[in-house]
Amino acid sequence: MRKRLSLKCCLFGIGIPLTLWMTLNLVSWDMKLSADWNQPQRLTLRARKTLLLRSKVKAQAEEKGAPRQCEEIPEVINKALVKHYNTSVLHSLGIVSGPEDQIARDEGYQNFAFNALVSDKIGFHRAVPDTRYPKCQDVTFPAINLDTSIIVCFFNEQPSALLRLVHSIIDRTPQELVKEIILVDDSSTLDDLSCQIENYVNQHFNNVRLVRTPERQGLIRARVFGANLASGQVLVFLDSHCEVNTDWLEPLLLRISHDPTTVVVPVIDIINHDTMEYQQSPLVRGGFNWGLHFSWDRLPDNEKNDPDLGSKPILSPTMAGGLFAMKRDYFHHLGEYDLGMDIWGGENLEISFRIWMCGGKLEIIPCSRVGHIFRKRRPYGNPKGRDTFLKNSLRVANVWMDKYKEYFLKQRPQAQVVDYGDISDRISLRKHLSCKSFKWYLDHVYPELSLPGDVKPSNKSSHHQPMKSKDKRKKPVIVRHGRIKHVSTNLCAQSEKEIYTKKALVTLARCNDESLSGQKAQLWFETEKNQLMLAQLLCLDIETGSVGKSYARLMKCHGLGGSQGWLWIKKNGASLLYNPVSGKCLTATATKVGGYLSLDLCTGAKEQAFTMS
Ligand code: UD2
Ligand code: MN
């Protein structure tokens, strides 16, 4: 009615203000169209900004001009790993064989917080172990009539990690299910790398689009930009350092086709950030604590004892955040993301609460597996130097948690003074969608969460990657024991202090096999997990992350491999102790009694030749 009226006025030529009003009206109509889930949303100022940005991005994507000037990335294919996943090949790729390797490795850790040297050497294609439970394998999928837009946002990503993800999707997904892959470069600052990625993408793929945000948005708004450009029926979000596994997409889509308000998450397998090994994750589900930190929780007993465990969907109170699929129209209907959130953090709990409280469901699909490089630190900051995780979490607490937000504020008192911006849009979204209360969510979706002060046993693991719960971690299995002898001097490795002193360095000493205590001091136990335990007490470890020389030390055994993993390799006829995490070999700094053991380039020199007997 109002529209018709304004049209009439225009015909009579009542100028600029009305034309402006009409333009806005049109824009809002366009927005409503993109959110075609019956109930249109109010167009806020922020949404208008997004829209403007969106048209800019569109323009940029469409004028694909001459390639940018930068070195071309060679299409690297490591033949040894394309067909068969092989850990010893992987380990050998990690060997630092000279100063160039060392630089590539150090720069990689600095920029990406994972071993970029190994990632580059693996190349753009590799096989990964099929980590699904047997019940998921060898199934024939019924026809699926949904297609997807896969959205991958990145800020300063290593080209080989990102391109291996893209190739893994193309290699392991039926073509008709992938309408497009949208790579959103969130204004990366390492220009050469983003230029190389862009040129490679333009030269090698048809259905991969690369778009760039006009300025750094952070992963939350970057995802919404990507989603606004997408046209597939289902949106799939992935982090930029993932590799998809066999038949990963079909189980996700089948679930969504049964119920379009189900949001589905694959099991996130672990790609080791030091060695790039691909490891199966245990079945756990998403939770959180009152500090609003995400946690991996043990499954409740009824799920754990289900005979179909491993192939049946698992209801999950929250998601980790990076990898999930949902219908595109449902994504828009449910309010996309909170555009007031910056850079990193909190959006995963926000979308999880919103899904459950506003009528949807969140499930982990064990038959779908995708590997992700879990890094020890985030290799980037944010332009304003603020703690965006805290700010974003405050928005979550104030919009979604009702009176339970007090628990959060108690846990993180620093939050009291943080400005979290305007949340009125999100509050009206919650009303508009008639979402349930946070109490309902706690009672029905996450009754296992104890309130502060309760003494329920914890079901959480504090690790940032999915972990087997402690009670299931087995005792180390010893495969052999003996003395570690330095060949050319015939000296033995032992602690410089008592055998139970943590952090003690390791030195060469005269081999002592006379008294029992002497034996113990030089008796090493090699375990199934490639640990070397002195007297079955402490593990041979290295100082990681240190610049310059790194020494071998004895540390508490953690059973996670990593810096406590030691492999015997051969070089120039000598047998060396190689530590895959550092890419280096155990080396005697001085070939005499008291000489410390350090880590050095694996050359096969006499300082590095050891045996175990
Ligand atoms: C986890 C999630 C991540 C996100 C985050 C909380 C998984 C596997 N990962 O942390 O997706 O939900 O928790 O916010 O569940 N990026 C940008 N712009 C930025 C910063 C990051 O595009 O300003 C990209 C980044 O390149 C990466 C993705 O966003 O592809 C996620 O970032 P991350 O890998 O640092 O987050 P992660 O895995 O530590
Ligand atoms: Mn990540």
Side-chain angles (χ1 to χ4, degrees), residues 153-155 157 184 186 216 218-219 222-223 239-241 268 320-323 343-348 372 374-375 378 380:
C153 300
F154 65 98
F155 174 74
E157 189 53 274
V184 182
D186 188 14
R216 174 95 177 274
L219 72 94
R223 278 185 197 160
D239 272 12
S240 49
H241 32 256
I268 311 180
L323 290 62
I343 309 291
W344 187 97
E347 94 297 339
N348 53 332
H372 168 260
F374 285 89
R375 307 180 284 189
R378 243 168 290 139
Y380 50 82

PDB file of all heavy atoms in Angstrom, residues 153-155 157 184 186 216 218-219 222-223 239-241 268 320-323 343-348 372 374-375 378 380, ligand 1:
ATOM      1  N   CYS A 153      36.781 -19.357   4.717  1.00  0.00           N
ATOM      2  CA  CYS A 153      37.357 -18.032   4.951  1.00  0.00           C
ATOM      3  C   CYS A 153      38.798 -18.209   5.384  1.00  0.00           C
ATOM      4  O   CYS A 153      39.121 -19.168   6.086  1.00  0.00           O
ATOM      5  CB  CYS A 153      36.630 -17.310   6.074  1.00  0.00           C
ATOM      6  SG  CYS A 153      34.904 -17.080   5.725  1.00  0.00           S
ATOM      7  N   PHE A 154      39.647 -17.297   4.990  1.00  0.00           N
ATOM      8  CA  PHE A 154      41.026 -17.410   5.470  1.00  0.00           C
ATOM      9  C   PHE A 154      41.682 -16.063   5.624  1.00  0.00           C
ATOM     10  O   PHE A 154      41.390 -15.113   4.917  1.00  0.00           O
ATOM     11  CB  PHE A 154      41.865 -18.312   4.561  1.00  0.00           C
ATOM     12  CG  PHE A 154      42.073 -17.764   3.155  1.00  0.00           C
ATOM     13  CD1 PHE A 154      43.252 -17.099   2.833  1.00  0.00           C
ATOM     14  CD2 PHE A 154      41.110 -17.919   2.179  1.00  0.00           C
ATOM     15  CE1 PHE A 154      43.468 -16.612   1.539  1.00  0.00           C
ATOM     16  CE2 PHE A 154      41.311 -17.423   0.879  1.00  0.00           C
ATOM     17  CZ  PHE A 154      42.491 -16.767   0.563  1.00  0.00           C
ATOM     18  N   PHE A 155      42.557 -16.006   6.607  1.00  0.00           N
ATOM     19  CA  PHE A 155      43.405 -14.842   6.808  1.00  0.00           C
ATOM     20  C   PHE A 155      44.835 -15.366   6.877  1.00  0.00           C
ATOM     21  O   PHE A 155      45.159 -16.163   7.754  1.00  0.00           O
ATOM     22  CB  PHE A 155      43.028 -14.110   8.103  1.00  0.00           C
ATOM     23  CG  PHE A 155      43.951 -12.984   8.426  1.00  0.00           C
ATOM     24  CD1 PHE A 155      43.894 -11.798   7.704  1.00  0.00           C
ATOM     25  CD2 PHE A 155      44.911 -13.111   9.417  1.00  0.00           C
ATOM     26  CE1 PHE A 155      44.774 -10.761   7.970  1.00  0.00           C
ATOM     27  CE2 PHE A 155      45.795 -12.081   9.693  1.00  0.00           C
ATOM     28  CZ  PHE A 155      45.719 -10.900   8.966  1.00  0.00           C
ATOM     29  N   GLU A 157      46.621 -17.639   5.110  1.00  0.00           N
ATOM     30  CA  GLU A 157      46.753 -19.098   5.156  1.00  0.00           C
ATOM     31  C   GLU A 157      47.903 -19.562   4.267  1.00  0.00           C
ATOM     32  O   GLU A 157      48.201 -18.945   3.235  1.00  0.00           O
ATOM     33  CB  GLU A 157      45.441 -19.765   4.709  1.00  0.00           C
ATOM     34  CG  GLU A 157      45.400 -21.268   4.913  1.00  0.00           C
ATOM     35  CD  GLU A 157      45.728 -21.690   6.344  1.00  0.00           C
ATOM     36  OE1 GLU A 157      46.932 -21.842   6.653  1.00  0.00           O
ATOM     37  OE2 GLU A 157      44.787 -21.854   7.141  1.00  0.00           O
ATOM     38  N   VAL A 184      36.965 -17.077   0.794  1.00  0.00           N
ATOM     39  CA  VAL A 184      36.890 -15.668   1.181  1.00  0.00           C
ATOM     40  C   VAL A 184      38.229 -15.264   1.798  1.00  0.00           C
ATOM     41  O   VAL A 184      38.566 -15.702   2.902  1.00  0.00           O
ATOM     42  CB  VAL A 184      35.763 -15.423   2.208  1.00  0.00           C
ATOM     43  CG1 VAL A 184      35.679 -13.942   2.567  1.00  0.00           C
ATOM     44  CG2 VAL A 184      34.429 -15.927   1.679  1.00  0.00           C
ATOM     45  N   ASP A 186      40.096 -12.925   3.753  1.00  0.00           N
ATOM     46  CA  ASP A 186      39.711 -11.855   4.666  1.00  0.00           C
ATOM     47  C   ASP A 186      40.837 -10.814   4.751  1.00  0.00           C
ATOM     48  O   ASP A 186      41.418 -10.599   5.807  1.00  0.00           O
ATOM     49  CB  ASP A 186      39.384 -12.455   6.043  1.00  0.00           C
ATOM     50  CG  ASP A 186      38.787 -11.416   6.984  1.00  0.00           C
ATOM     51  OD1 ASP A 186      38.394 -10.333   6.499  1.00  0.00           O
ATOM     52  OD2 ASP A 186      38.712 -11.695   8.197  1.00  0.00           O
ATOM     53  N   ARG A 216      39.683  -6.158   6.586  1.00  0.00           N
ATOM     54  CA  ARG A 216      39.641  -7.293   7.501  1.00  0.00           C
ATOM     55  C   ARG A 216      38.349  -7.292   8.308  1.00  0.00           C
ATOM     56  O   ARG A 216      38.016  -6.298   8.949  1.00  0.00           O
ATOM     57  CB  ARG A 216      40.856  -7.192   8.429  1.00  0.00           C
ATOM     58  CG  ARG A 216      40.898  -8.218   9.534  1.00  0.00           C
ATOM     59  CD  ARG A 216      41.711  -9.407   9.150  1.00  0.00           C
ATOM     60  NE  ARG A 216      41.813 -10.370  10.226  1.00  0.00           N
ATOM     61  CZ  ARG A 216      42.724 -10.339  11.191  1.00  0.00           C
ATOM     62  NH1 ARG A 216      43.624  -9.375  11.221  1.00  0.00           N
ATOM     63  NH2 ARG A 216      42.744 -11.283  12.116  1.00  0.00           N
ATOM     64  N   GLY A 218      37.316 -10.338  10.157  1.00  0.00           N
ATOM     65  CA  GLY A 218      37.243 -11.387  11.174  1.00  0.00           C
ATOM     66  C   GLY A 218      36.418 -12.522  10.614  1.00  0.00           C
ATOM     67  O   GLY A 218      35.642 -12.339   9.673  1.00  0.00           O
ATOM     68  N   LEU A 219      36.582 -13.695  11.209  1.00  0.00           N
ATOM     69  CA  LEU A 219      36.003 -14.875  10.569  1.00  0.00           C
ATOM     70  C   LEU A 219      34.483 -14.862  10.582  1.00  0.00           C
ATOM     71  O   LEU A 219      33.845 -15.474   9.731  1.00  0.00           O
ATOM     72  CB  LEU A 219      36.555 -16.143  11.220  1.00  0.00           C
ATOM     73  CG  LEU A 219      36.102 -16.511  12.630  1.00  0.00           C
ATOM     74  CD1 LEU A 219      34.920 -17.467  12.584  1.00  0.00           C
ATOM     75  CD2 LEU A 219      37.241 -17.173  13.354  1.00  0.00           C
ATOM     76  N   ALA A 222      33.278 -12.425   7.817  1.00  0.00           N
ATOM     77  CA  ALA A 222      33.771 -12.974   6.544  1.00  0.00           C
ATOM     78  C   ALA A 222      32.888 -14.140   6.094  1.00  0.00           C
ATOM     79  O   ALA A 222      32.589 -14.293   4.910  1.00  0.00           O
ATOM     80  CB  ALA A 222      35.222 -13.421   6.679  1.00  0.00           C
ATOM     81  N   ARG A 223      32.439 -14.966   7.049  1.00  0.00           N
ATOM     82  CA  ARG A 223      31.570 -16.088   6.685  1.00  0.00           C
ATOM     83  C   ARG A 223      30.237 -15.588   6.138  1.00  0.00           C
ATOM     84  O   ARG A 223      29.689 -16.164   5.198  1.00  0.00           O
ATOM     85  CB  ARG A 223      31.305 -16.972   7.900  1.00  0.00           C
ATOM     86  CG  ARG A 223      32.421 -17.957   8.154  1.00  0.00           C
ATOM     87  CD  ARG A 223      32.058 -18.885   9.293  1.00  0.00           C
ATOM     88  NE  ARG A 223      33.273 -19.526   9.785  1.00  0.00           N
ATOM     89  CZ  ARG A 223      33.392 -20.079  10.971  1.00  0.00           C
ATOM     90  NH1 ARG A 223      32.368 -20.082  11.816  1.00  0.00           N
ATOM     91  NH2 ARG A 223      34.520 -20.646  11.341  1.00  0.00           N
ATOM     92  N   ASP A 239      37.201 -24.571   7.987  1.00  0.00           N
ATOM     93  CA  ASP A 239      38.410 -23.778   8.213  1.00  0.00           C
ATOM     94  C   ASP A 239      39.353 -23.986   7.028  1.00  0.00           C
ATOM     95  O   ASP A 239      39.254 -24.987   6.312  1.00  0.00           O
ATOM     96  CB  ASP A 239      39.120 -24.242   9.494  1.00  0.00           C
ATOM     97  CG  ASP A 239      38.592 -23.520  10.731  1.00  0.00           C
ATOM     98  OD1 ASP A 239      37.556 -22.859  10.631  1.00  0.00           O
ATOM     99  OD2 ASP A 239      39.246 -23.629  11.790  1.00  0.00           O
ATOM    100  N   SER A 240      40.316 -23.097   6.882  1.00  0.00           N
ATOM    101  CA  SER A 240      41.166 -23.125   5.694  1.00  0.00           C
ATOM    102  C   SER A 240      42.342 -24.097   5.785  1.00  0.00           C
ATOM    103  O   SER A 240      43.170 -24.142   4.903  1.00  0.00           O
ATOM    104  CB  SER A 240      41.683 -21.719   5.422  1.00  0.00           C
ATOM    105  OG  SER A 240      42.215 -21.162   6.605  1.00  0.00           O
ATOM    106  N   HIS A 241      42.418 -24.858   6.890  1.00  0.00           N
ATOM    107  CA  HIS A 241      43.507 -25.841   7.010  1.00  0.00           C
ATOM    108  C   HIS A 241      42.906 -27.199   7.362  1.00  0.00           C
ATOM    109  O   HIS A 241      43.213 -27.764   8.423  1.00  0.00           O
ATOM    110  CB  HIS A 241      44.532 -25.387   8.057  1.00  0.00           C
ATOM    111  CG  HIS A 241      43.886 -24.596   9.159  1.00  0.00           C
ATOM    112  ND1 HIS A 241      43.984 -23.230   9.238  1.00  0.00           N
ATOM    113  CD2 HIS A 241      43.072 -24.976  10.164  1.00  0.00           C
ATOM    114  CE1 HIS A 241      43.278 -22.814  10.266  1.00  0.00           C
ATOM    115  NE2 HIS A 241      42.709 -23.862  10.850  1.00  0.00           N
ATOM    116  N   ILE A 268      35.609 -34.079  13.779  1.00  0.00           N
ATOM    117  CA  ILE A 268      36.819 -33.349  13.387  1.00  0.00           C
ATOM    118  C   ILE A 268      38.037 -34.175  13.759  1.00  0.00           C
ATOM    119  O   ILE A 268      38.409 -34.270  14.936  1.00  0.00           O
ATOM    120  CB  ILE A 268      36.869 -31.961  14.060  1.00  0.00           C
ATOM    121  CG1 ILE A 268      35.520 -31.238  13.862  1.00  0.00           C
ATOM    122  CG2 ILE A 268      38.020 -31.138  13.488  1.00  0.00           C
ATOM    123  CD1 ILE A 268      35.472 -29.857  14.495  1.00  0.00           C
ATOM    124  N   ALA A 320      32.120 -27.013  17.758  1.00  0.00           N
ATOM    125  CA  ALA A 320      33.435 -26.382  17.884  1.00  0.00           C
ATOM    126  C   ALA A 320      33.486 -25.083  17.083  1.00  0.00           C
ATOM    127  O   ALA A 320      34.183 -24.143  17.443  1.00  0.00           O
ATOM    128  CB  ALA A 320      34.521 -27.328  17.408  1.00  0.00           C
ATOM    129  N   GLY A 321      32.746 -25.031  15.985  1.00  0.00           N
ATOM    130  CA  GLY A 321      32.593 -23.762  15.289  1.00  0.00           C
ATOM    131  C   GLY A 321      33.011 -23.743  13.833  1.00  0.00           C
ATOM    132  O   GLY A 321      32.374 -23.104  13.005  1.00  0.00           O
ATOM    133  N   GLY A 322      34.082 -24.444  13.500  1.00  0.00           N
ATOM    134  CA  GLY A 322      34.658 -24.251  12.177  1.00  0.00           C
ATOM    135  C   GLY A 322      34.039 -25.058  11.058  1.00  0.00           C
ATOM    136  O   GLY A 322      34.077 -24.654   9.897  1.00  0.00           O
ATOM    137  N   LEU A 323      33.482 -26.229  11.410  1.00  0.00           N
ATOM    138  CA  LEU A 323      33.074 -27.148  10.346  1.00  0.00           C
ATOM    139  C   LEU A 323      31.613 -27.536  10.564  1.00  0.00           C
ATOM    140  O   LEU A 323      31.292 -28.203  11.544  1.00  0.00           O
ATOM    141  CB  LEU A 323      33.929 -28.426  10.399  1.00  0.00           C
ATOM    142  CG  LEU A 323      35.407 -28.361  10.012  1.00  0.00           C
ATOM    143  CD1 LEU A 323      36.226 -27.462  10.896  1.00  0.00           C
ATOM    144  CD2 LEU A 323      36.011 -29.753  10.024  1.00  0.00           C
ATOM    145  N   ILE A 343      36.626 -10.561  14.712  1.00  0.00           N
ATOM    146  CA  ILE A 343      37.787 -11.460  14.478  1.00  0.00           C
ATOM    147  C   ILE A 343      37.619 -12.941  14.843  1.00  0.00           C
ATOM    148  O   ILE A 343      37.529 -13.774  13.974  1.00  0.00           O
ATOM    149  CB  ILE A 343      39.083 -10.920  15.146  1.00  0.00           C
ATOM    150  CG1 ILE A 343      39.296  -9.461  14.730  1.00  0.00           C
ATOM    151  CG2 ILE A 343      40.300 -11.758  14.779  1.00  0.00           C
ATOM    152  CD1 ILE A 343      39.650  -9.229  13.283  1.00  0.00           C
ATOM    153  N   TRP A 344      37.578 -13.288  16.107  1.00  0.00           N
ATOM    154  CA  TRP A 344      37.641 -14.704  16.500  1.00  0.00           C
ATOM    155  C   TRP A 344      36.942 -14.910  17.836  1.00  0.00           C
ATOM    156  O   TRP A 344      37.051 -14.103  18.732  1.00  0.00           O
ATOM    157  CB  TRP A 344      39.115 -15.124  16.642  1.00  0.00           C
ATOM    158  CG  TRP A 344      39.356 -16.584  16.877  1.00  0.00           C
ATOM    159  CD1 TRP A 344      39.684 -17.515  15.941  1.00  0.00           C
ATOM    160  CD2 TRP A 344      39.306 -17.287  18.132  1.00  0.00           C
ATOM    161  NE1 TRP A 344      39.833 -18.748  16.533  1.00  0.00           N
ATOM    162  CE2 TRP A 344      39.604 -18.642  17.872  1.00  0.00           C
ATOM    163  CE3 TRP A 344      39.025 -16.905  19.447  1.00  0.00           C
ATOM    164  CZ2 TRP A 344      39.656 -19.619  18.870  1.00  0.00           C
ATOM    165  CZ3 TRP A 344      39.057 -17.887  20.450  1.00  0.00           C
ATOM    166  CH2 TRP A 344      39.381 -19.219  20.148  1.00  0.00           C
ATOM    167  N   GLY A 345      36.235 -16.033  17.959  1.00  0.00           N
ATOM    168  CA  GLY A 345      35.770 -16.506  19.267  1.00  0.00           C
ATOM    169  C   GLY A 345      34.313 -16.222  19.583  1.00  0.00           C
ATOM    170  O   GLY A 345      33.777 -15.181  19.239  1.00  0.00           O
ATOM    171  N   GLY A 346      33.688 -17.183  20.244  1.00  0.00           N
ATOM    172  CA  GLY A 346      32.350 -16.977  20.799  1.00  0.00           C
ATOM    173  C   GLY A 346      31.205 -17.254  19.846  1.00  0.00           C
ATOM    174  O   GLY A 346      30.111 -17.619  20.268  1.00  0.00           O
ATOM    175  N   GLU A 347      31.443 -17.098  18.552  1.00  0.00           N
ATOM    176  CA  GLU A 347      30.343 -17.278  17.594  1.00  0.00           C
ATOM    177  C   GLU A 347      29.861 -18.719  17.573  1.00  0.00           C
ATOM    178  O   GLU A 347      28.708 -18.985  17.263  1.00  0.00           O
ATOM    179  CB  GLU A 347      30.767 -16.799  16.197  1.00  0.00           C
ATOM    180  CG  GLU A 347      31.322 -17.837  15.226  1.00  0.00           C
ATOM    181  CD  GLU A 347      32.610 -18.496  15.682  1.00  0.00           C
ATOM    182  OE1 GLU A 347      33.304 -17.912  16.522  1.00  0.00           O
ATOM    183  OE2 GLU A 347      32.933 -19.603  15.195  1.00  0.00           O
ATOM    184  N   ASN A 348      30.740 -19.657  17.937  1.00  0.00           N
ATOM    185  CA  ASN A 348      30.330 -21.069  17.917  1.00  0.00           C
ATOM    186  C   ASN A 348      29.305 -21.368  19.009  1.00  0.00           C
ATOM    187  O   ASN A 348      28.333 -22.084  18.769  1.00  0.00           O
ATOM    188  CB  ASN A 348      31.553 -21.994  18.023  1.00  0.00           C
ATOM    189  CG  ASN A 348      32.433 -21.673  19.216  1.00  0.00           C
ATOM    190  OD1 ASN A 348      32.484 -20.521  19.671  1.00  0.00           O
ATOM    191  ND2 ASN A 348      33.111 -22.658  19.740  1.00  0.00           N
ATOM    192  N   HIS A 372      41.442 -31.518  10.625  1.00  0.00           N
ATOM    193  CA  HIS A 372      41.704 -30.084  10.844  1.00  0.00           C
ATOM    194  C   HIS A 372      43.050 -29.958  11.546  1.00  0.00           C
ATOM    195  O   HIS A 372      43.354 -30.745  12.446  1.00  0.00           O
ATOM    196  CB  HIS A 372      40.583 -29.513  11.723  1.00  0.00           C
ATOM    197  CG  HIS A 372      40.861 -28.136  12.273  1.00  0.00           C
ATOM    198  ND1 HIS A 372      41.307 -27.925  13.564  1.00  0.00           N
ATOM    199  CD2 HIS A 372      40.754 -26.912  11.696  1.00  0.00           C
ATOM    200  CE1 HIS A 372      41.461 -26.612  13.761  1.00  0.00           C
ATOM    201  NE2 HIS A 372      41.131 -25.979  12.648  1.00  0.00           N
ATOM    202  N   PHE A 374      44.964 -28.676  14.258  1.00  0.00           N
ATOM    203  CA  PHE A 374      44.778 -27.981  15.541  1.00  0.00           C
ATOM    204  C   PHE A 374      46.105 -27.343  15.901  1.00  0.00           C
ATOM    205  O   PHE A 374      47.106 -28.029  16.055  1.00  0.00           O
ATOM    206  CB  PHE A 374      44.349 -28.971  16.622  1.00  0.00           C
ATOM    207  CG  PHE A 374      42.914 -29.399  16.481  1.00  0.00           C
ATOM    208  CD1 PHE A 374      42.574 -30.503  15.704  1.00  0.00           C
ATOM    209  CD2 PHE A 374      41.901 -28.694  17.104  1.00  0.00           C
ATOM    210  CE1 PHE A 374      41.252 -30.905  15.566  1.00  0.00           C
ATOM    211  CE2 PHE A 374      40.571 -29.084  16.970  1.00  0.00           C
ATOM    212  CZ  PHE A 374      40.242 -30.185  16.206  1.00  0.00           C
ATOM    213  N   ARG A 375      46.110 -26.030  16.048  1.00  0.00           N
ATOM    214  CA  ARG A 375      47.369 -25.342  16.306  1.00  0.00           C
ATOM    215  C   ARG A 375      47.466 -24.971  17.778  1.00  0.00           C
ATOM    216  O   ARG A 375      46.455 -24.810  18.444  1.00  0.00           O
ATOM    217  CB  ARG A 375      47.438 -24.088  15.442  1.00  0.00           C
ATOM    218  CG  ARG A 375      47.196 -24.431  13.987  1.00  0.00           C
ATOM    219  CD  ARG A 375      47.250 -23.239  13.108  1.00  0.00           C
ATOM    220  NE  ARG A 375      46.067 -22.415  13.181  1.00  0.00           N
ATOM    221  CZ  ARG A 375      45.839 -21.406  12.361  1.00  0.00           C
ATOM    222  NH1 ARG A 375      46.737 -21.106  11.438  1.00  0.00           N
ATOM    223  NH2 ARG A 375      44.751 -20.689  12.457  1.00  0.00           N
ATOM    224  N   ARG A 378      47.148 -19.091  18.015  1.00  0.00           N
ATOM    225  CA  ARG A 378      46.621 -18.435  16.818  1.00  0.00           C
ATOM    226  C   ARG A 378      47.721 -17.535  16.267  1.00  0.00           C
ATOM    227  O   ARG A 378      48.257 -16.713  16.996  1.00  0.00           O
ATOM    228  CB  ARG A 378      45.409 -17.573  17.189  1.00  0.00           C
ATOM    229  CG  ARG A 378      44.141 -18.044  16.532  1.00  0.00           C
ATOM    230  CD  ARG A 378      42.956 -17.352  17.158  1.00  0.00           C
ATOM    231  NE  ARG A 378      42.740 -17.820  18.511  1.00  0.00           N
ATOM    232  CZ  ARG A 378      42.419 -17.041  19.536  1.00  0.00           C
ATOM    233  NH1 ARG A 378      42.289 -15.735  19.374  1.00  0.00           N
ATOM    234  NH2 ARG A 378      42.223 -17.550  20.728  1.00  0.00           N
ATOM    235  N   TYR A 380      47.744 -15.035  14.429  1.00  0.00           N
ATOM    236  CA  TYR A 380      47.408 -13.673  14.034  1.00  0.00           C
ATOM    237  C   TYR A 380      46.794 -12.930  15.215  1.00  0.00           C
ATOM    238  O   TYR A 380      46.247 -13.539  16.123  1.00  0.00           O
ATOM    239  CB  TYR A 380      46.409 -13.677  12.875  1.00  0.00           C
ATOM    240  CG  TYR A 380      45.209 -14.579  13.132  1.00  0.00           C
ATOM    241  CD1 TYR A 380      44.137 -14.128  13.885  1.00  0.00           C
ATOM    242  CD2 TYR A 380      45.174 -15.888  12.662  1.00  0.00           C
ATOM    243  CE1 TYR A 380      43.059 -14.955  14.153  1.00  0.00           C
ATOM    244  CE2 TYR A 380      44.101 -16.728  12.922  1.00  0.00           C
ATOM    245  CZ  TYR A 380      43.044 -16.249  13.671  1.00  0.00           C
ATOM    246  OH  TYR A 380      41.992 -17.062  13.949  1.00  0.00           O
TER     247      TYR A 380
HETATM  248  C1  UD2 B   1      37.850 -22.681  16.353  1.00  0.00           C
HETATM  249  C2  UD2 B   1      37.096 -23.045  15.075  1.00  0.00           C
HETATM  250  C3  UD2 B   1      36.983 -21.811  14.207  1.00  0.00           C
HETATM  251  C4  UD2 B   1      36.165 -20.771  14.948  1.00  0.00           C
HETATM  252  C5  UD2 B   1      36.867 -20.482  16.275  1.00  0.00           C
HETATM  253  C6  UD2 B   1      36.088 -19.559  17.172  1.00  0.00           C
HETATM  254  C7  UD2 B   1      37.238 -25.413  14.487  1.00  0.00           C
HETATM  255  C8  UD2 B   1      38.022 -26.484  13.868  1.00  0.00           C
HETATM  256  N1  UD2 B   1      37.759 -24.158  14.406  1.00  0.00           N
HETATM  257  O1  UD2 B   1      39.137 -22.130  16.258  1.00  0.00           O
HETATM  258  O2  UD2 B   1      36.354 -22.088  12.993  1.00  0.00           O
HETATM  259  O3  UD2 B   1      34.850 -21.200  15.137  1.00  0.00           O
HETATM  260  O4  UD2 B   1      37.062 -21.670  17.018  1.00  0.00           O
HETATM  261  O5  UD2 B   1      35.893 -18.339  16.613  1.00  0.00           O
HETATM  262  O6  UD2 B   1      36.184 -25.673  15.017  1.00  0.00           O
HETATM  263  N2  UD2 B   1      40.023 -16.303   9.808  1.00  0.00           N
HETATM  264  C9  UD2 B   1      39.552 -15.268   9.012  1.00  0.00           C
HETATM  265  N3  UD2 B   1      39.686 -13.984   9.458  1.00  0.00           N
HETATM  266  C10 UD2 B   1      40.232 -13.685  10.675  1.00  0.00           C
HETATM  267  C11 UD2 B   1      40.662 -14.742  11.495  1.00  0.00           C
HETATM  268  C12 UD2 B   1      40.535 -16.050  11.041  1.00  0.00           C
HETATM  269  O7  UD2 B   1      39.063 -15.503   7.921  1.00  0.00           O
HETATM  270  O8  UD2 B   1      40.321 -12.518  11.020  1.00  0.00           O
HETATM  271  C13 UD2 B   1      39.899 -17.688   9.333  1.00  0.00           C
HETATM  272  C14 UD2 B   1      41.134 -18.549   9.521  1.00  0.00           C
HETATM  273  O9  UD2 B   1      42.052 -18.400   8.447  1.00  0.00           O
HETATM  274  C15 UD2 B   1      40.538 -19.945   9.607  1.00  0.00           C
HETATM  275  C16 UD2 B   1      39.178 -19.700  10.262  1.00  0.00           C
HETATM  276  O10 UD2 B   1      38.904 -18.319  10.108  1.00  0.00           O
HETATM  277  O11 UD2 B   1      40.346 -20.523   8.351  1.00  0.00           O
HETATM  278  C17 UD2 B   1      39.158 -20.105  11.726  1.00  0.00           C
HETATM  279  O12 UD2 B   1      40.233 -19.546  12.434  1.00  0.00           O
HETATM  280  P1  UD2 B   1      41.271 -20.436  13.269  1.00  0.00           P
HETATM  281  O13 UD2 B   1      41.670 -21.616  12.485  1.00  0.00           O
HETATM  282  O14 UD2 B   1      42.348 -19.549  13.767  1.00  0.00           O
HETATM  283  O15 UD2 B   1      40.333 -20.896  14.459  1.00  0.00           O
HETATM  284  P2  UD2 B   1      40.494 -22.230  15.392  1.00  0.00           P
HETATM  285  O16 UD2 B   1      40.537 -23.437  14.549  1.00  0.00           O
HETATM  286  O17 UD2 B   1      41.595 -21.978  16.332  1.00  0.00           O
END
